[in-house]
Amino acid sequence: QVQLVESGGGLVQAGGSLRLSCVVSGTISRILAMGWYRQAPGKQRESVATMTTGSTNYADSVKGRFTISRDSAKNTVYLQMNSLKPEDTAVYYCNFEGQWPARVSYWGQGTQVTVSS
C-alpha cells in the first residue's frame, strides 16, 4: 500500500521560511504528476505547486516564493516556502497521481502552516 506523510509545518512569522517534506512509502506505478495543495478553513483545496514530466507549475500567489523539488533516492518531495505571508496559512497536502492501470490519487494527511503578522 502507498502512503504519503507530510512534515515540516508549524508557526512562523510573516517573512519567514519553512520547508515541507513528503515521504512516500510503497511504490507508485507510472507517476503522472506530483505536487502540493493547500486548504484554509472554509476554503476550497487549491493547487500550490505541481510537477509533471517536463513541466513545473506554481499558483500565481506563490510564484517567486515557493519551490517544489524532489529527491528520488529518498522517495521525498519538498516544498520550500520563503517570504511567507498570513494568507499562506492553511493545511498543506502532498499529492501523487498514478496509473495502475486506472488513474489513482494519493494524498497525505496534511501538515498545518500558520503565518502570523
Side-chain angles (χ1 to χ4, degrees):
Q1 296 293 323
V2 174
Q3 291 189 322
L4 281 60
V5 179
E6 304 100 332
S7 63
L11 176 64
V12 64
Q13 191 175 12
S17 299
L18 286 172
R19 188 181 74 164
L20 306 184
S21 299
C22 174
V23 179
V24 179
S25 63
T27 301
I28 302 175
S29 298
R30 295 189 295 278
I31 296 173
L32 302 177
M34 62 190 75
W36 290 90
Y37 294 72
R38 67 186 181 188
Q39 187 168 24
K43 303 292 184 179
Q44 297 184 78
R45 187 173 297 185
E46 65 174 339
S47 174
V48 176
T50 59
M51 291 191 298
T52 61
T53 302
S55 67
T56 302
N57 300 287
Y58 296 92
D60 289 341
S61 60
V62 307
K63 285 181 179 178
R65 301 188 297 120
F66 290 11
T67 303
I68 186 171
S69 62
R70 66 184 177 93
D71 186 336
S72 297
K74 296 181 179 179
N75 293 321
T76 303
V77 177
Y78 303 96
L79 183 67
Q80 179 66 47
M81 305 186 294
N82 298 325
S83 302
L84 283 162
K85 304 175 180 179
E87 50 263 44
D88 295 320
T89 296
V91 177
Y92 284 70
Y93 298 90
C94 180
N95 165 256
F96 279 75
E97 301 290 327
Q99 190 90 28
W100 214 100
R103 182 162 180 155
V104 62
S105 298
Y106 302 95
W107 294 91
Q109 84 287 354
T111 185
Q112 177 71 48
V113 172
T114 302
V115 184
S116 62
S117 299

